[in-house]
């Protein structure tokens, strides 16, 4: 099937590219709750947290490259991570590495990529934004959801992919849907009624029981012109600033304009700038995603992704280096010292993270409190650890 | 007060030497339950387990040297530990370092020292045997108990120092006393009725309530001739073999005779060879010791010796390298890596032992099971760790 056969309907898939689609990967956030593996200088997305041999960033590239093509894969990250990202992704085009002079939150990051695409390819270009540090287990189902989302975006919608919940999770926000849409090529697309915050357990159970709620994975698919149009309506100075940078991006004045304009841009998340207000106005759609997904938000979340952690000590790293007796949970063997071993005796749901300069011992139950350790080390003036 | 003023009564003390007394320190045992700090190649007695800056062996020397004098301090250990012991104890006389060709248990070790002393100084020399890896917190009270024990030994008794129990411990054997003795210079000495094995908790509570039971700390004070006489009665070949080695000890044929005789010596503990049978025959006395004592048998025991471990994370090593939040117990910071840190979050009664090649994570409750880890690593052919 050629692009012309797909027509205005479902974009070409069948294992290949989605024509006219660009993938944007904002790679930000320190992943503090995954300390001490994740650090400010080597954040979560640079680590192989699944034992696959590829970092989360590389796995994200591997998932998106077949859909968008290397030329249409844009990465937005802080200047500090430029070298690490280039080393991790040798096929990333230099002009597609968008280095932020300072952190300006997700709206500026994704908006800059949208503006660059709009400038290069016109307002009809469709972008999909996907975090650099999430885990997805069914690339085929993911690709199908993206294809439906692109079709829906071409109809002018701001589209999100909502994850079909496997349980009443309290660590994610939810997306409530209303009526089905009738977009060609997107049979599963639904109107979004609202985005809701992370619920308590009882509320989450109620959400899941209705069948109308999906997890908000922060995936947005939208036409570049549509996105910047909405942004201009809400925050015109931000939209104008991003377009000014984009106009200079593929020219010798890139850095000069970037440095002049970027500091003035407002810090705001795309959820607040676009998703919530546009949803309230009836302009957001959701494509349900039935693939396995996790944001790997903390050690407990990671342990749930590693087979066996519930009944024994699962290992990220060299299995032969770890011994568990009367114990369960997760050991990250990351000391870098050849032959070094970890023994766990009689601690259920343990989390041990062994890195060269920092060892963490906790339990899955306390995973959310790891941030407190990072703060405490800062207070002790051990910024080298964080 | 001069030795002559002391006469046949209480030996000279008052901060000085006990005349005619020699201290014997058998330094054996791998201390497996203190793995991974204690190893076959670097056993418990070579480690500073109290943060004093001195190893347990050195602290034992420091405690005994004022009582016996360096010339009358004998150390018995395996040949493998010769270099480490010489480095730790530079004042130890070469002829007083008794290196065992192989392990033959405590009777051969202490008996050899007794035979060497008997050969050098005659059967009236009194020896006191004290483990190299126990902790004692009141040297003055210890010295007073030793002096009373020496006085009692001079009356022909096999003497033990029994520790006044601070609670119904189940990890120690007990000594039951009967009537007071009337030995000049030993006002506290009592006849020993029997030695009893480690009790269960209810039995231990009953023992302590009677006031007649004290902890068996394995301390024996006895005349060299008396000891070898009893030994000859029980195990004549062993006594003869030890005397044969001793006769050659301070001569050029030491090694030749040692290597010829030692392998034939029977392996038996002094408790079974001497203490129990002689007690049954009414020949053992006990001097109560009111000083603090612990055999530091496992990590739980060690944690109880380190201030604060019940309510917070106590540290053996660099305090600044360890952070505990909502945790208690003991962290041994022994990685040897400068700046390396340990963080414990939400684990009560934790035990973390961080050594260069082996990290242990457990809880005080599981301290007795650490041996199982050592066995499991052996099964994995990691003899380098044990």
């Amino acid at each position: 099937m050629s692009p012309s056969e797909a027509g205005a309907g479902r974009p070409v898939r069948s294992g290949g590219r989605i024509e006219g689609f660009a993938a944007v990967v904002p790679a930000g956030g320190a992943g503090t709750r995954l300390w001490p593996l994740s650090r400010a200088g080597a954040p979560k997305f640079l680590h192989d947290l699944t034992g696959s041999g590829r970092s989360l960033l590389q796995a994200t590239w591997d998932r998106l490259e077949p859909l968008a093509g290397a030329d249409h894969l844009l990465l937005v990250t802080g200047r500090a991570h430029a070298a690490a990202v280039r080393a991790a992704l040798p096929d990333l085009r230099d002009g597609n590495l968008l280095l932020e002079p300072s952190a300006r939150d997700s709206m500026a990051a994704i908006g800059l990529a949208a503006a660059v695409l709009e400038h290069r390819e016109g307002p009809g270009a469709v972008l999909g934004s996907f975090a650099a540090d999430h885990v997805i287990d069914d690339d085929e189902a993911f690709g199908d959801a993206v294809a439906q989302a692109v079709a829906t975006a071409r109809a002018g919608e701001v589209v999100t992919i909502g994850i079909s919940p496997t349980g009443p999770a309290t660590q994610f926000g939810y997306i409530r849907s209303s009526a089905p849409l009738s977009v060609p090529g997107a049979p599963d697309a639904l109107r979004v009624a609202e985005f809701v915050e992370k619920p308590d357990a009882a509320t989450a159970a109620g959400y899941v029981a209705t069948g109308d709620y999906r997890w908000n994975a922060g995936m947005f698919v939208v036409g570049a012109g549509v996105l910047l149009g909405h942004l201009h309506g809400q925050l015109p100075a931000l939209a104008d600033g991003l377009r000014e940078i984009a106009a200079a991006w593929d020219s010798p004045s890139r850095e000069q304009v970037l440095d002049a304009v970027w500091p003035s841009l407002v810090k705001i998340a795309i959820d607040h700038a676009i998703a919530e207000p546009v949803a309230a106005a009836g302009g957001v759609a959701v494509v349900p995603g039935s693939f396995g997904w996790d944001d790997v938000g903390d050690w407990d979340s990671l342990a749930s992704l590693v087979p066996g952690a519930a009944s024994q000590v699962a290992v990220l790293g060299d299995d032969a280096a770890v011994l568990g007796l009367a114990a369960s949970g997760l050991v990250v063997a990351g000391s870098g010292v050849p032959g070094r071993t970890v023994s766990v005796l009689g601690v259920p749901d343990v989390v041990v993270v062994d890195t060269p300069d920092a060892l963490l011992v906790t339990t899955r139950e306390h995973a959310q409190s790891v941030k407190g350790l990072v703060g405490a080390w800062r207070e002790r003036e051990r910024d080298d650890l964080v």
Side-chain angles (χ1 to χ4, degrees), chain A residues 15 67 93 162 180 308 316:
Chain A
L67 305 179
R93 268 187 52 189
L316 209 57

Side-chain angles (χ1 to χ4, degrees), chain A residues 28 149 192 200 229 300 320 332 335 368 373 381:
Chain A
V192 168
D200 61 29
D300 180 52
V332 180
S335 71
Q368 289 281 326
L373 292 171
E381 301 185 347

